[in-house]
Amino acid sequence: MNDQKIWTAALIVIGDEILSGRTQDKNIAQVASWLNVQGIRLAEVRVVADDKDHIAEAVNILRARNDYLFTTGGIGPTHDDITVDAVARALGVDVVIHPAARAILEHYYESRGGLNEGRLRMARVPAGAELIENRMSGAPGIRIGNCYLMAGVPHITAGMLDALTGTLEGGAPLLSATLGAWAPESEIADILGDTERAHESCVIGSYPFFRNGTVGANFVVRSTEAHDLETCRAELKAALEAAGYEVTDGGI
């Protein structure tokens, strides 16, 4: 493990149903959380319609500037499941039937009506790809280069992430600590900025809220170094209290 390098990943969420608002995405949060445990930071997310050219364009941009690229959605059995085709186009390779994926599907559907044309689509991969195990519904995910193609159904995505746990190279996990205060951001902006500048290995995020007619904010300190994180958190708390604000550990 290389603790010095910051490893990054991007995520492409694919599907007209996400963009239309009919389906609310739940994968961004779980992918981000899983990546952090692997020592990889989710650097950017795109939501892309079911359009081969648009997906291929996003794949080539994001895979080039991140260590890893994940996609969710569009690897199912229907005509609008085009992620495999789009990624193959982006990589300049053919789409083929993966023999191991076909065998998995034949076994899975043996007692479920057999392997028909639609189900066989889930054995299609960009040429040269490897499989990501899917213990939930048979149809595997796909890995090719630094690209990881996963299902859009959140619990199936979770299973694929579990199968990938420990297989990706990453750095130190990003740690965090949260403080909360009934403080308007405009009144404590200098405190936040001064504290962050005093701790080069830490970043401080401020997340304001409005509740019961009162303005407050939660402050999240992040660092890969546990000692630096605690020092920064303690100094931020002390500075806020010195300014007259009651601080709640863990956030409000």
Side-chain angles (χ1 to χ4, degrees):
M1 181 175 71
N2 181 354
D3 290 342
Q4 301 305 313
K5 175 180 175 178
I6 297 176
W7 296 76
T8 67
L11 171 64
I12 303 176
V13 179
I14 297 169
D16 292 342
E17 71 277 9
I18 302 294
L19 289 167
S20 71
R22 290 176 59 87
T23 300
Q24 293 185 347
D25 178 78
K26 297 180 180 179
N27 282 322
I28 295 174
Q30 74 165 340
V31 170
S33 297
W34 179 85
L35 284 169
N36 184 52
V37 174
Q38 311 308 307
I40 302 165
R41 301 185 191 180
L42 183 59
E44 51 191 319
V45 178
R46 288 197 187 189
V47 183
V48 182
D50 294 318
D51 181 290
K52 289 181 187 178
D53 290 335
H54 291 174
I55 297 169
E57 177 186 45
V59 166
N60 277 333
I61 291 172
L62 298 181
R63 73 185 177 95
R65 67 184 181 207
N66 291 280
D67 298 294
Y68 303 104
L69 171 64
F70 290 79
T71 72
T72 58
I75 60 171
T78 60
H79 70 284
D80 59 346
D81 288 311
I82 58 173
T83 299
V84 168
D85 303 88
V87 172
R89 178 177 296 184
L91 300 180
V93 299
D94 293 331
V95 174
V96 299
I97 298 293
H98 195 293
R102 179 174 188 141
I104 290 169
L105 292 168
E106 285 177 342
H107 177 73
Y108 183 82
Y109 287 109
E110 186 176 5
S111 60
R112 297 174 173 87
L115 189 61
N116 57 32
E117 184 176 346
R119 291 167 173 173
L120 185 59
R121 283 181 57 82
M122 294 186 287
R124 299 165 71 250
V125 303
E130 301 174 359
L131 303 181
I132 302 171
E133 184 181 4
N134 173 10
R135 305 182 186 99
M136 305 299 295
S137 63
I142 300 162
R143 172 182 180 174
I144 181 165
N146 69 336
C147 301
Y148 296 78
L149 284 55
M150 302 184 299
V153 179
H155 76 274
I156 299 178
T157 307
M160 291 181 177
L161 291 173
D162 183 63
L164 287 171
T165 296
T167 67
L168 278 66
E169 187 173 5
L174 189 63
L175 309 174
S176 67
T178 303
L179 301 172
W182 294 99
E185 284 185 307
S186 59
E187 294 181 8
I188 46 84
D190 288 345
I191 292 175
L192 298 176
D194 291 344
T195 305
E196 184 177 86
R197 282 188 291 273
H199 300 274
E200 293 184 358
S201 68
C202 300
V203 293
I204 300 173
S206 179
Y207 306 96
F209 55 80
F210 183 76
R211 301 178 192 167
N212 302 318
T214 306
V215 174
N218 285 311
F219 313 109
V220 181
V221 184
R222 298 182 176 91
S223 177
T224 58
E225 303 294 332
H227 177 267
D228 294 353
L229 175 72
E230 174 53 27
T231 300
C232 183
R233 184 205 67 79
E235 291 187 11
L236 176 58
K237 181 177 182 179
L240 290 169
E241 290 176 338
Y245 298 102
E246 182 179 350
V247 179
T248 301
D249 289 309
I252 297 174

